[in-house]
């Protein structure tokens, strides 16, 4: 079943990787079992750029997840993950050094997008969530559309926020 879920995300990856903006901005996609192959609970989709500290899959990335439990697939999500730790890798700087300027710049626009809900602790590791129904026959296309929108809008803003602390 893990492979079937991976195939769904791989279809999204294939379509996105053909797009000009994807190639131009050197986006990277990772589709992998979570938490690992041996003890998989589901499959995770990450899209990110090389300088977003995501080599270990715990950095900055746009993420979706499909649970192995079919009942839980009814309400899957799309979010941006702003590090799994409180400190920026290789520094003594706190995550908020880039998350606050990033969130402050995107907040009004993203809040206007249908289904995007910010958390009370919006400067934390997952500032907002958009829920998707993975049982919908258009799930892959819907995910592709939302990921493209997030990458095109948030990618440059995040690059700027990261650069400002370098």
């Amino acid at each position: 079943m893990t492979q079937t879920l991976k195939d769904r995300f791989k279809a999204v990856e294939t379509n996105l990787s053909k797009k000009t903006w994807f190639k131009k901005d050197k986006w990277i996609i990772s589709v992998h079992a979570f938490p690992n192959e041996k003890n998989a609970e589901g499959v995770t989709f990450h899209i990110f750029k090389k300088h977003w500290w995501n080599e270990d899959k715990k950095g900055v990335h746009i993420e979706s997840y499909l649970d192995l439990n079919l009942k839980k697939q009814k309400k899957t999500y799309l979010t941006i993950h702003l590090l799994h730790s409180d400190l920026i890798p290789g520094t003594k700087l706190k995550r908020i050094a880039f998350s606050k300027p990033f969130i402050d710049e995107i907040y009004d626009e993203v809040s206007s997008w249908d289904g995007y809900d910010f958390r009370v602790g919006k400067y934390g590791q997952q500032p907002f969530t958009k829920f998707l129904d993975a049982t919908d026959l258009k799930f892959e296309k819907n995910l592709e559309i939302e990921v493209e929108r997030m990458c095109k809008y948030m990618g440059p803003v995040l690059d700027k926020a990261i650069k400002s602390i370098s």
Side-chain angles (χ1 to χ4, degrees):
M1 177 129 159
T2 304
Q3 187 57 46
T4 304
L5 298 181
K6 283 182 180 178
D7 291 343
R8 295 184 76 189
F9 281 145
K10 287 290 190 182
V12 175
E13 176 183 14
T14 298
N15 290 339
L16 289 172
S17 67
K18 294 176 185 174
K19 298 188 183 249
T20 304
W21 62 266
F22 182 94
K23 294 174 192 169
K24 179 181 162 273
D25 292 334
K26 299 178 181 171
W27 289 93
I28 301 165
I29 293 177
S30 172
V31 174
H32 52 276
F34 179 83
N36 56 53
E37 284 294 334
K38 186 178 177 183
N39 302 308
E41 296 170 10
V43 176
T44 301
F45 172 96
H46 287 188
I47 183 166
F48 57 97
K49 293 184 180 181
K50 186 176 181 178
H51 61 280
W52 287 7
W53 308 295
N54 200 49
E55 298 82 17
D56 63 355
K57 301 178 179 116
K58 295 181 181 179
V60 177
H61 52 271
I62 295 167
E63 175 180 301
S64 187
Y65 175 79
L66 290 171
D67 201 288
L68 288 175
N69 181 332
L70 291 173
K71 291 179 184 177
K72 291 183 179 180
Q73 288 180 26
K74 177 78 175 156
K75 191 174 183 183
T76 192
Y77 66 86
L78 179 63
T79 191
I80 192 160
H81 225 127
L82 301 176
L83 299 175
H84 284 246
S85 66
D86 291 333
L87 294 179
I88 296 168
T91 75
K92 293 184 180 188
L93 294 172
K94 292 189 177 186
R95 170 183 41 239
I96 201 158
F98 78 92
S99 68
K100 186 174 184 335
F102 170 69
I103 297 302
D104 288 347
E105 188 163 337
I106 68 161
Y107 183 80
D108 289 340
E109 175 67 22
V110 176
S111 292
S112 74
W113 295 353
D114 186 40
Y116 284 76
D117 295 316
F118 277 84
R119 289 178 170 71
V120 172
K122 67 183 179 184
Y123 299 121
Q125 66 177 309
Q126 285 182 294
F128 62 82
T129 304
K130 171 164 177 80
F131 289 103
L132 299 167
D133 180 353
T135 63
D136 184 331
L137 294 176
K138 295 180 183 175
F139 169 74
E140 287 86 345
K141 187 62 182 171
N142 293 338
L143 180 61
E144 178 186 333
I145 289 166
E146 294 301 328
V147 167
E148 181 170 359
R149 173 163 62 167
M150 287 177 69
C151 289
K152 286 180 163 181
Y153 180 70
M154 294 181 208
V157 179
L158 190 51
D159 288 342
K160 184 173 102 178
I162 290 171
K163 189 175 182 178
S164 75
I165 61 167
S166 300

